[in-house]
Coordinates of all heavy atoms in Angstrom, one line a residue:
L85 N 7.4 9.8 -7.6 CA 6.5 9.2 -8.6 C 5.1 9.0 -8.0 O 4.1 9.2 -8.7 CB 7.2 8.0 -9.1 CG 6.5 7.3 -10.2 CD1 6.4 8.1 -11.5 CD2 7.1 6.0 -10.6
W86 N 5.0 8.5 -6.8 CA 3.8 8.1 -6.2 C 2.9 9.4 -6.1 O 1.6 9.3 -6.2 CB 3.9 7.5 -4.8 CG 4.2 6.0 -4.9 CD1 4.4 5.3 -6.0 CD2 4.3 5.1 -3.8 NE1 4.6 3.9 -5.6 CE2 4.6 3.9 -4.3 CE3 4.3 5.3 -2.5 CZ2 4.9 2.8 -3.5 CZ3 4.5 4.2 -1.6 CH2 4.8 3.0 -2.1
R87 N 3.5 10.5 -5.8 CA 2.7 11.7 -5.6 C 1.8 12.1 -6.8 O 0.8 12.7 -6.7 CB 3.6 12.9 -5.3 CG 4.2 12.9 -3.9 CD 5.0 14.1 -3.6 NE 5.6 14.0 -2.3 CZ 6.7 13.4 -1.9 NH1 7.4 12.8 -2.8 NH2 7.1 13.4 -0.6
Q88 N 2.3 11.7 -8.0 CA 1.6 12.0 -9.2 C 0.3 11.2 -9.3 O -0.6 11.5 -10.1 CB 2.5 11.7 -10.5 CG 3.7 12.6 -10.5 CD 4.7 12.2 -11.6 OE1 4.5 11.1 -12.2 NE2 5.6 13.1 -11.9
C89 N 0.2 10.1 -8.6 CA -1.0 9.2 -8.6 C -2.0 9.6 -7.6 O -3.1 9.1 -7.6 CB -0.6 7.8 -8.4 SG 0.6 7.2 -9.7
N90 N -1.7 10.5 -6.6 CA -2.6 10.8 -5.5 C -3.9 11.3 -6.1 O -3.9 12.3 -6.9 CB -2.0 11.8 -4.5 CG -2.8 12.1 -3.3 OD1 -3.5 11.1 -2.9 ND2 -2.8 13.3 -2.8
G91 N -5.0 10.8 -5.7 CA -6.4 11.2 -6.1 C -6.7 10.6 -7.5 O -7.9 10.9 -8.0
A92 N -5.9 9.8 -8.1 CA -6.2 9.3 -9.4 C -7.2 8.1 -9.3 O -7.3 7.4 -8.3 CB -4.9 8.8 -10.1
S93 N -7.9 7.8 -10.4 CA -8.8 6.7 -10.5 C -8.3 5.9 -11.7 O -8.1 6.5 -12.7 CB -10.2 7.1 -10.6 OG -10.7 7.6 -9.5
V94 N -8.2 4.5 -11.5 CA -7.8 3.7 -12.6 C -8.8 2.7 -12.8 O -9.3 2.0 -12.0 CB -6.4 3.0 -12.2 CG1 -6.0 2.1 -13.4 CG2 -5.4 4.0 -11.8
K95 N -9.3 2.7 -14.1 CA -10.3 1.6 -14.5 C -9.6 0.4 -14.9 O -8.6 0.4 -15.8 CB -11.2 2.1 -15.6 CG -12.4 1.3 -15.7 CD -13.4 1.9 -16.6 CE -14.7 1.1 -16.8 NZ -15.6 1.7 -17.5
D96 N -9.9 -0.8 -14.4 CA -9.3 -2.1 -14.7 C -10.3 -3.0 -15.2 O -11.4 -3.1 -14.7 CB -8.6 -2.6 -13.5 CG -7.5 -3.6 -13.8 OD1 -7.3 -4.0 -15.0 OD2 -6.9 -4.1 -12.9
T97 N -9.9 -3.8 -16.3 CA -10.8 -4.7 -16.9 C -10.1 -6.0 -17.1 O -8.9 -6.0 -17.6 CB -11.3 -4.2 -18.3 OG1 -11.9 -3.0 -18.1 CG2 -12.3 -5.2 -18.9
W98 N -10.6 -7.1 -16.5 CA -10.1 -8.4 -16.7 C -11.0 -9.2 -17.7 O -12.2 -9.0 -17.8 CB -10.1 -9.1 -15.3 CG -9.1 -8.6 -14.4 CD1 -9.1 -7.3 -13.8 CD2 -7.9 -9.2 -13.9 NE1 -8.0 -7.2 -13.1 CE2 -7.3 -8.3 -13.0 CE3 -7.4 -10.4 -14.1 CZ2 -6.1 -8.6 -12.4 CZ3 -6.2 -10.7 -13.5 CH2 -5.6 -9.8 -12.6
P99 N -10.4 -10.2 -18.4 CA -11.2 -11.0 -19.3 C -12.4 -11.7 -18.5 O -12.2 -12.2 -17.4 CB -10.2 -12.1 -19.8 CG -8.9 -11.4 -19.6 CD -9.0 -10.6 -18.5
N100 N -13.5 -11.7 -19.1 CA -14.7 -12.3 -18.6 C -15.1 -11.8 -17.2 O -15.8 -12.5 -16.4 CB -14.5 -13.8 -18.4 CG -14.2 -14.4 -19.8 OD1 -14.8 -14.1 -20.8 ND2 -13.2 -15.4 -19.8
K101 N -14.8 -10.6 -16.8 CA -15.2 -9.9 -15.6 C -15.7 -8.6 -15.9 O -15.3 -7.9 -16.8 CB -13.9 -9.9 -14.6 CG -13.2 -11.1 -14.3 CD -13.8 -11.8 -13.2 CE -13.0 -13.1 -12.9 NZ -13.4 -13.7 -11.7
A102 N -16.4 -8.0 -14.9 CA -16.9 -6.7 -15.0 C -15.8 -5.7 -14.7 O -14.9 -6.0 -13.8 CB -18.1 -6.4 -14.0
P103 N -15.7 -4.6 -15.4 CA -14.7 -3.6 -15.1 C -14.9 -3.0 -13.7 O -16.0 -3.0 -13.1 CB -14.8 -2.6 -16.2 CG -16.1 -2.8 -16.8 CD -16.6 -4.2 -16.5
F104 N -13.8 -2.5 -13.1 CA -13.9 -1.9 -11.8 C -12.8 -0.8 -11.7 O -11.9 -0.7 -12.5 CB -13.6 -2.9 -10.7 CG -12.3 -3.6 -10.7 CD1 -11.3 -3.2 -10.0 CD2 -12.1 -4.7 -11.5 CE1 -10.0 -3.7 -10.0 CE2 -10.8 -5.4 -11.5 CZ -9.8 -4.9 -10.7
T105 N -13.1 0.2 -10.8 CA -12.3 1.3 -10.7 C -11.4 1.2 -9.3 O -12.0 0.9 -8.3 CB -13.1 2.6 -10.6 OG1 -13.8 2.6 -11.9 CG2 -12.2 3.8 -10.5
I106 N -10.1 1.5 -9.4 CA -9.3 1.6 -8.3 C -8.9 3.0 -8.0 O -8.6 3.7 -8.9 CB -8.0 0.8 -8.5 CG1 -8.3 -0.6 -8.8 CG2 -7.0 1.0 -7.3 CD1 -7.1 -1.5 -9.3
S107 N -9.2 3.5 -6.8 CA -8.8 4.8 -6.3 C -7.5 4.8 -5.6 O -7.3 4.0 -4.7 CB -9.9 5.4 -5.4 OG -11.1 5.5 -6.1
V108 N -6.6 5.8 -5.9 CA -5.3 5.8 -5.4 C -5.2 7.0 -4.4 O -5.6 8.1 -4.7 CB -4.2 6.0 -6.5 CG1 -2.8 6.0 -5.9 CG2 -4.3 4.8 -7.5
S109 N -4.6 6.8 -3.2 CA -4.4 7.8 -2.2 C -3.0 7.7 -1.7 O -2.6 6.7 -1.2 CB -5.5 7.7 -1.1 OG -5.3 8.6 -0.1
G110 N -2.4 8.8 -1.6 CA -1.1 8.8 -1.0 C 0.0 9.4 -1.9 O -0.4 9.9 -3.0
P111 N 1.2 9.4 -1.5 CA 1.8 8.6 -0.5 C 1.6 9.3 0.9 O 1.3 10.5 1.0 CB 3.3 8.6 -0.8 CG 3.5 9.9 -1.6 CD 2.2 10.1 -2.3
H112 N 1.7 8.4 1.9 CA 1.6 8.9 3.3 C 2.9 8.5 4.0 O 3.4 7.3 3.8 CB 0.4 8.2 3.9 CG -0.9 8.5 3.2 ND1 -1.6 9.7 3.4 CD2 -1.6 7.7 2.4 CE1 -2.7 9.7 2.6 NE2 -2.7 8.5 2.0
D113 N 3.3 9.3 4.9 CA 4.5 9.0 5.7 C 4.0 8.3 6.9 O 3.3 8.7 7.8 CB 5.2 10.3 6.1 CG 6.4 10.1 7.0 OD1 6.7 8.9 7.3 OD2 7.1 11.1 7.3
A114 N 4.3 7.0 7.0 CA 3.9 6.1 8.1 C 5.0 6.1 9.3 O 4.8 5.5 10.2 CB 3.7 4.7 7.7
G115 N 6.0 7.0 9.1 CA 7.1 7.0 10.2 C 8.1 6.0 10.0 O 7.9 5.0 9.2
N116 N 9.3 6.3 10.5 CA 10.4 5.3 10.5 C 10.9 5.0 9.1 O 11.4 3.9 8.8 CB 10.0 4.0 11.3 CG 11.3 3.3 11.7 OD1 12.4 3.9 11.9 ND2 11.1 2.0 11.9
G117 N 10.6 5.9 8.2 CA 11.1 5.7 6.8 C 10.2 4.9 5.9 O 10.5 4.5 4.8
V118 N 9.0 4.6 6.4 CA 8.0 3.8 5.7 C 7.0 4.7 5.0 O 6.4 5.6 5.7 CB 7.2 2.9 6.6 CG1 6.2 2.0 5.8 CG2 8.2 1.9 7.3
S119 N 6.8 4.5 3.7 CA 5.8 5.3 2.9 C 4.7 4.3 2.5 O 5.0 3.1 2.1 CB 6.5 5.9 1.7 OG 7.3 7.0 2.1
T120 N 3.5 4.8 2.5 CA 2.3 4.0 2.1 C 1.5 4.6 1.0 O 1.4 5.8 0.9 CB 1.4 3.6 3.2 OG1 0.9 4.7 3.8 CG2 2.2 2.8 4.3
V121 N 0.8 3.8 0.2 CA -0.2 4.3 -0.8 C -1.3 3.3 -0.7 O -1.2 2.1 -0.7 CB 0.4 4.2 -2.2 CG1 -0.7 4.5 -3.2 CG2 1.5 5.3 -2.4
E122 N -2.5 3.9 -0.6 CA -3.8 3.1 -0.6 C -4.4 2.9 -2.0 O -4.4 3.9 -2.7 CB -4.8 3.7 0.3 CG -4.6 3.7 1.8 CD -3.7 4.9 2.2 OE1 -4.1 6.0 1.8 OE2 -2.8 4.7 3.0
L123 N -4.8 1.7 -2.3 CA -5.5 1.3 -3.5 C -6.8 0.8 -3.1 O -6.9 -0.4 -2.7 CB -4.6 0.3 -4.3 CG -3.1 0.7 -4.5 CD1 -2.4 -0.5 -5.0 CD2 -3.0 1.8 -5.4
A124 N -7.9 1.5 -3.4 CA -9.2 1.1 -2.9 C -10.1 0.8 -4.1 O -10.1 1.7 -5.1 CB -9.8 2.2 -2.0
S125 N -10.8 -0.3 -4.1 CA -11.9 -0.5 -5.0 C -13.1 -1.0 -4.2 O -13.0 -1.2 -2.9 CB -11.4 -1.6 -6.0 OG -11.2 -2.8 -5.4
E126 N -14.2 -1.2 -4.9 CA -15.4 -1.6 -4.1 C -15.2 -2.9 -3.4 O -14.9 -3.9 -4.0 CB -16.6 -1.8 -5.2 CG -17.9 -2.0 -4.5 CD -19.1 -2.1 -5.5 OE1 -19.0 -1.4 -6.5 OE2 -20.0 -2.8 -5.2
G127 N -15.3 -2.9 -2.0 CA -15.2 -4.0 -1.2 C -13.8 -4.4 -0.9 O -13.5 -5.5 -0.3
A128 N -12.8 -3.7 -1.4 CA -11.4 -4.1 -1.1 C -10.5 -2.8 -0.9 O -10.7 -1.8 -1.5 CB -10.8 -4.9 -2.3
L129 N -9.5 -3.0 0.0 CA -8.6 -1.9 0.2 C -7.2 -2.7 0.3 O -7.0 -3.6 1.1 CB -8.8 -1.3 1.6 CG -7.8 -0.3 2.0 CD1 -7.7 0.9 1.1 CD2 -8.2 0.3 3.5
N130 N -6.3 -2.2 -0.4 CA -4.8 -2.7 -0.4 C -4.0 -1.4 0.0 O -4.1 -0.4 -0.5 CB -4.4 -3.2 -1.8 CG -5.3 -4.4 -2.1 OD1 -5.2 -5.4 -1.4 ND2 -6.0 -4.3 -3.2
V131 N -3.0 -1.7 0.8 CA -2.0 -0.7 1.2 C -0.6 -1.2 0.8 O -0.2 -2.3 1.2 CB -2.0 -0.5 2.7 CG1 -0.9 0.6 3.0 CG2 -3.4 0.0 3.1
H132 N 0.0 -0.4 0.0 CA 1.4 -0.7 -0.5 C 2.3 0.0 0.3 O 2.2 1.3 0.5 CB 1.4 -0.2 -2.0 CG 2.7 -0.6 -2.7 ND1 2.8 -1.8 -3.4 CD2 3.9 -0.1 -2.8 CE1 4.0 -1.9 -3.9 NE2 4.7 -0.8 -3.5
A133 N 3.3 -0.6 0.9 CA 4.3 0.1 1.7 C 5.7 -0.2 1.3 O 6.0 -1.3 0.7 CB 4.2 -0.5 3.2
V134 N 6.5 0.8 1.3 CA 8.0 0.7 0.9 C 8.8 1.3 1.9 O 8.5 2.4 2.5 CB 8.1 1.4 -0.5 CG1 9.6 1.4 -0.9 CG2 7.3 0.8 -1.6
A135 N 10.0 0.7 2.2 CA 11.0 1.3 3.1 C 12.3 0.7 2.7 O 12.5 -0.3 1.9 CB 10.7 0.9 4.5
T136 N 13.4 1.4 3.1 CA 14.8 0.9 2.8 C 15.6 1.0 4.1 O 15.3 1.9 5.0 CB 15.5 1.8 1.7 OG1 15.7 3.1 2.2 CG2 14.7 1.8 0.4
K137 N 16.6 0.1 4.2 CA 17.5 0.2 5.3 C 18.7 -0.6 4.9 O 18.6 -1.7 4.4 CB 16.9 -0.4 6.6 CG 17.8 -0.3 7.8 CD 17.1 -0.8 9.1 CE 18.0 -0.8 10.3 NZ 17.4 -1.3 11.5
A138 N 19.9 0.0 5.1 CA 21.2 -0.7 4.9 C 21.3 -1.4 3.6 O 21.6 -2.6 3.4 CB 21.4 -1.8 6.1
N139 N 21.0 -0.7 2.5 CA 21.0 -1.2 1.1 C 20.0 -2.3 0.9 O 20.1 -3.1 0.0 CB 22.4 -1.6 0.8 CG 22.7 -1.4 -0.6 OD1 22.2 -0.7 -1.4 ND2 23.7 -2.2 -1.1
I140 N 18.9 -2.4 1.6 CA 17.9 -3.4 1.4 C 16.5 -2.6 1.2 O 16.2 -1.7 1.9 CB 17.7 -4.3 2.6 CG1 19.0 -5.1 2.8 CG2 16.5 -5.3 2.5 CD1 19.1 -5.9 4.0
V141 N 15.7 -3.1 0.2 CA 14.4 -2.5 -0.1 C 13.3 -3.4 0.4 O 13.4 -4.6 0.1 CB 14.3 -2.2 -1.6 CG1 12.9 -1.7 -1.9 CG2 15.3 -1.2 -2.1
I142 N 12.4 -2.9 1.1 CA 11.2 -3.6 1.6 C 10.1 -3.1 0.7 O 9.8 -1.8 0.8 CB 10.9 -3.5 3.0 CG1 12.1 -3.9 3.9 CG2 9.6 -4.1 3.5 CD1 12.1 -3.5 5.3
D143 N 9.3 -4.0 0.1 CA 8.3 -3.6 -0.8 C 7.1 -4.6 -0.5 O 7.2 -5.8 -0.8 CB 8.7 -3.6 -2.2 CG 7.6 -3.1 -3.2 OD1 6.5 -2.9 -2.8 OD2 8.0 -2.9 -4.3
L144 N 6.0 -4.2 0.1 CA 5.0 -5.1 0.4 C 3.6 -4.6 0.2 O 3.4 -3.4 0.1 CB 5.1 -5.6 1.9 CG 4.9 -4.5 3.0 CD1 3.5 -4.4 3.6 CD2 5.9 -4.7 4.1
L145 N 2.6 -5.5 0.1 CA 1.2 -5.1 -0.1 C 0.4 -5.9 0.9 O 0.4 -7.0 1.0 CB 0.8 -5.5 -1.6 CG -0.6 -5.1 -2.0 CD1 -0.7 -3.6 -2.2 CD2 -1.0 -5.9 -3.2
V146 N -0.5 -5.1 1.6 CA -1.4 -5.6 2.6 C -2.8 -5.5 2.1 O -3.2 -4.4 1.7 CB -1.3 -4.9 3.9 CG1 -2.4 -5.3 4.9 CG2 0.1 -5.1 4.6
S147 N -3.5 -6.6 2.0 CA -4.9 -6.6 1.6 C -5.8 -6.6 2.8 O -5.5 -7.3 3.7 CB -5.3 -7.8 0.7 OG -4.5 -7.8 -0.5
Y148 N -6.7 -5.7 2.9 CA -7.6 -5.5 4.0 C -9.1 -5.5 3.7 O -9.5 -4.8 2.7 CB -7.2 -4.1 4.7 CG -7.8 -3.8 6.0 CD1 -7.3 -4.5 7.1 CD2 -8.9 -2.9 6.1 CE1 -7.9 -4.2 8.3 CE2 -9.4 -2.6 7.3 CZ -8.9 -3.2 8.5 OH -9.5 -3.0 9.7
T149 N -9.8 -6.3 4.4 CA -11.3 -6.3 4.1 C -12.1 -5.5 5.1 O -13.3 -5.6 4.9 CB -11.7 -7.8 4.0 OG1 -11.4 -8.4 5.3 CG2 -11.0 -8.5 2.9
G150 N -11.6 -4.9 6.0 CA -12.3 -4.1 7.0 C -12.6 -2.8 6.4 O -12.4 -2.4 5.3
N151 N -13.1 -1.9 7.3 CA -13.6 -0.6 6.9 C -12.7 0.6 7.2 O -12.9 1.6 6.7 CB -15.0 -0.2 7.5 CG -16.0 -1.2 7.1 OD1 -16.1 -1.6 5.9 ND2 -16.9 -1.5 8.0
G152 N -11.6 0.3 7.9 CA -10.8 1.4 8.4 C -9.4 1.5 7.7 O -8.6 0.7 7.8
V153 N -9.4 2.6 6.9 CA -8.1 2.9 6.1 C -6.9 3.0 7.1 O -5.8 2.6 6.8 CB -8.2 4.0 5.2 CG1 -8.3 5.3 5.8 CG2 -7.0 4.1 4.2
D154 N -7.2 3.7 8.3 CA -6.1 3.8 9.3 C -5.6 2.5 9.8 O -4.4 2.3 10.0 CB -6.6 4.7 10.4 CG -6.9 6.1 10.1 OD1 -6.2 6.6 9.1 OD2 -7.8 6.8 10.6
R155 N -6.5 1.5 10.0 CA -6.1 0.2 10.5 C -5.3 -0.5 9.4 O -4.3 -1.2 9.7 CB -7.2 -0.6 10.9 CG -7.9 -0.1 12.2 CD -9.0 -0.9 12.7 NE -8.5 -2.2 13.2 CZ -9.2 -3.2 13.5 NH1 -10.5 -3.1 13.5 NH2 -8.6 -4.3 13.9
A156 N -5.7 -0.4 8.2 CA -5.0 -1.0 7.0 C -3.6 -0.4 6.9 O -2.6 -1.1 6.7 CB -5.8 -0.9 5.8
R157 N -3.5 0.9 6.9 CA -2.2 1.6 6.8 C -1.3 1.2 8.0 O -0.1 1.0 7.8 CB -2.4 3.1 6.8 CG -1.1 3.9 6.4 CD -1.3 5.4 6.4 NE -2.5 5.8 5.6 CZ -3.2 6.8 5.9 NH1 -3.1 7.5 7.0 NH2 -4.2 7.1 5.0
Q158 N -1.8 1.1 9.2 CA -1.1 0.7 10.4 C -0.6 -0.7 10.3 O 0.6 -1.0 10.6 CB -1.8 0.9 11.6 CG -1.0 0.7 12.9 CD 0.1 1.7 13.0 OE1 -0.1 2.9 12.9 NE2 1.3 1.3 13.3
A159 N -1.4 -1.5 9.7 CA -1.0 -3.0 9.5 C 0.2 -3.0 8.5 O 1.2 -3.7 8.8 CB -2.1 -3.8 9.0
A160 N 0.1 -2.3 7.5 CA 1.3 -2.3 6.5 C 2.5 -1.7 7.1 O 3.6 -2.3 7.0 CB 0.9 -1.5 5.3
A161 N 2.4 -0.6 7.9 CA 3.6 0.0 8.6 C 4.1 -1.0 9.6 O 5.3 -1.1 9.7 CB 3.2 1.3 9.2
D162 N 3.2 -1.7 10.4 CA 3.7 -2.6 11.4 C 4.5 -3.8 10.8 O 5.6 -4.1 11.3 CB 2.6 -3.2 12.2 CG 2.0 -2.2 13.2 OD1 2.6 -1.1 13.4 OD2 0.8 -2.5 13.6
V163 N 4.1 -4.3 9.6 CA 4.8 -5.4 9.0 C 6.1 -4.8 8.5 O 7.2 -5.5 8.7 CB 4.0 -6.0 7.8 CG1 4.8 -7.0 7.0 CG2 2.7 -6.7 8.4
A164 N 6.1 -3.7 7.8 CA 7.4 -3.1 7.4 C 8.4 -2.9 8.5 O 9.6 -3.2 8.4 CB 7.1 -1.8 6.6
N165 N 7.9 -2.3 9.6 CA 8.8 -2.1 10.8 C 9.3 -3.4 11.4 O 10.5 -3.4 11.8 CB 8.0 -1.2 11.8 CG 8.0 0.2 11.4 OD1 9.1 0.8 11.1 ND2 6.9 0.8 11.4
Q166 N 8.5 -4.4 11.4 CA 9.0 -5.7 11.9 C 10.2 -6.2 11.1 O 11.2 -6.8 11.6 CB 7.9 -6.7 11.9 CG 6.9 -6.5 13.1 CD 5.8 -7.5 13.0 OE1 5.8 -8.5 12.5 NE2 4.6 -7.1 13.7
I167 N 10.0 -6.0 9.8 CA 11.1 -6.4 8.8 C 12.3 -5.5 9.1 O 13.4 -6.0 9.1 CB 10.6 -6.4 7.4 CG1 9.5 -7.4 7.1 CG2 11.8 -6.7 6.4 CD1 8.8 -7.3 5.8
L168 N 12.1 -4.2 9.1 CA 13.2 -3.3 9.3 C 14.0 -3.6 10.6 O 15.2 -3.5 10.6 CB 12.7 -1.8 9.4 CG 12.2 -1.1 8.1 CD1 11.5 0.1 8.4 CD2 13.4 -0.9 7.2
N169 N 13.3 -3.9 11.6 CA 13.9 -4.3 12.9 C 14.8 -5.4 12.9 O 15.7 -5.6 13.7 CB 12.9 -4.4 14.0 CG 12.2 -3.1 14.3 OD1 12.8 -2.0 14.1 ND2 11.0 -3.1 14.9
K170 N 14.6 -6.3 11.9 CA 15.5 -7.5 11.8 C 16.7 -7.2 10.9 O 17.6 -8.1 10.8 CB 14.7 -8.7 11.2 CG 13.6 -9.1 12.0 CD 12.8 -10.3 11.5 CE 11.8 -10.7 12.5 NZ 11.2 -12.0 12.2
I171 N 16.8 -6.1 10.3 CA 18.0 -5.8 9.4 C 19.0 -5.0 10.3 O 18.7 -4.0 10.8 CB 17.5 -4.9 8.2 CG1 16.4 -5.6 7.4 CG2 18.7 -4.5 7.3 CD1 15.8 -4.7 6.4
P172 N 20.2 -5.6 10.4 CA 21.3 -4.9 11.1 C 21.6 -3.5 10.4 O 21.5 -3.4 9.2 CB 22.4 -5.9 11.1 CG 22.0 -7.1 10.3 CD 20.6 -6.8 9.8
G173 N 22.1 -2.6 11.2 CA 22.6 -1.4 10.7 C 21.7 -0.3 11.1 O 21.2 0.7 10.8

């Protein structure tokens, strides 16, 4: 399902706020069964990571204010892997 969103732009509008556009990139294989998708807008980058292990689903979102998408993706993968490592099996 995520593959269909790769390269898409989504315009979002909130009440009493200026509309903004979110660019979607991914999915990316972060290794160890972790997949990520980047959601970027002006001044913000969010990385969504998903993984499964032993009938448990990990679904997390990392907000990143720096400039490096690689660092943001790695942060999301690191958090997911720390959780995966605590699951027996």
Side-chain angles (χ1 to χ4, degrees):
L85 183 62
W86 280 2
R87 284 182 182 88
Q88 296 173 350
C89 298
N90 187 34
S93 293
V94 179
K95 190 170 186 175
D96 200 355
T97 304
W98 290 67
N100 303 318
K101 304 272 182 172
F104 60 96
T105 301
I106 300 170
S107 300
V108 181
S109 174
H112 303 281
D113 181 358
N116 199 27
V118 179
S119 295
T120 63
V121 171
E122 287 90 40
L123 309 167
S125 62
E126 188 175 327
L129 173 64
N130 297 297
V131 179
H132 188 90
V134 175
T136 63
K137 182 178 179 182
N139 209 24
I140 297 172
V141 176
I142 298 166
D143 185 348
L144 62 97
L145 183 70
V146 172
S147 295
Y148 187 75
T149 57
N151 294 323
V153 68
D154 292 333
R155 290 184 68 187
R157 189 182 304 145
Q158 187 62 50
D162 288 347
V163 171
N165 280 308
Q166 287 178 18
I167 296 167
L168 285 171
N169 291 336
K170 293 182 180 196
I171 301 170

